[in-house]
Amino acid sequence: MSEQQVLDCTGDPSNCDGGYVNDALSYIAKSGGLQQEAAYPYIGQQGACRGGDVSPNSAAAVGAPRWVNLNGDEGALQELVASQPVAVGVEADLDFHHYTSGVYTGSSSCGQNLNHAVTVVGYGTDGGGQEYWLVKNQWGTGWGEATYGGNCGMATYAYYPTMDSS
């Protein structure tokens, strides 16, 4: 689905440096669904919303977004992720920005300042028994190898779309 459409059609049009998960999910629900990447390709910078230029894509439609305070309960996050991708807040400190490989665990104090969102798409355990979250970060394929340990605020808040219209 088109990340560019979300970028163009939510948030401040003069700044591509951040946004809000709830705004993105609300836009997708109200617009009738996102276009495919081929119809609205990613260009890497925010532009004018072309929402009126494309018809709604009901195959990518969602209902009202939900917000859940998980209070650090990783089991609750696992239950949500078992059904669908879930956006979560994390603390993206300097180490996080430079993460390249392995299971990222951050520092023991990481998670006090949630300032970035990633999408959790799965979870697992590596060969050494270390549990991890499988995440997608909008920073592109050059960031990390998509595995993430359990701290830095990962199980604090979750945002996800519903399939109903309530």
Side-chain angles (χ1 to χ4, degrees):
M1 300 294 99
S2 175
E3 293 172 317
Q4 188 67 44
Q5 185 178 0
V6 173
L7 179 61
D8 289 350
C9 300
T10 62
D12 181 353
S14 66
N15 188 356
C16 172
D17 193 21
Y20 298 97
V21 173
N22 199 53
D23 291 351
L25 293 175
S26 293
Y27 167 76
I28 296 167
K30 290 176 187 171
S31 70
L34 291 180
Q35 296 304 302
Q36 292 184 4
E37 181 76 16
Y40 203 136
Y42 186 71
I43 60 171
Q45 62 184 16
Q46 191 169 20
C49 180
R50 298 185 350 229
D53 296 346
V54 291
S55 58
N57 180 2
S58 61
V62 298
R66 296 281 192 258
W67 172 86
V68 179
N69 186 342
L70 298 173
N71 294 311
D73 184 348
E74 290 190 10
L77 181 56
Q78 280 185 337
E79 286 182 35
L80 289 172
V81 173
S83 300
Q84 66 187 20
V86 177
V88 298
V90 297
E91 182 173 339
D93 61 10
L94 190 58
D95 286 344
F96 183 87
H97 282 263
H98 296 290
Y99 161 68
T100 58
S101 65
V103 176
Y104 178 80
T105 56
S107 69
S108 59
S109 64
C110 189
Q112 304 302 307
N113 180 27
L114 304 182
N115 58 6
H116 184 61
V118 295
T119 304
V120 183
V121 296
Y123 52 88
T125 306
D126 70 10
Q130 172 72 45
E131 294 180 330
Y132 63 86
W133 297 104
L134 184 62
V135 302
K136 180 179 180 190
N137 189 354
Q138 66 270 29
W139 292 343
T141 58
W143 178 85
E145 59 183 4
T147 55
Y148 189 87
N151 60 5
C152 292
M154 192 73 146
T156 304
Y157 301 107
Y159 301 86
Y160 58 96
T162 62
M163 295 311 292
D164 60 49
S165 59
S166 61

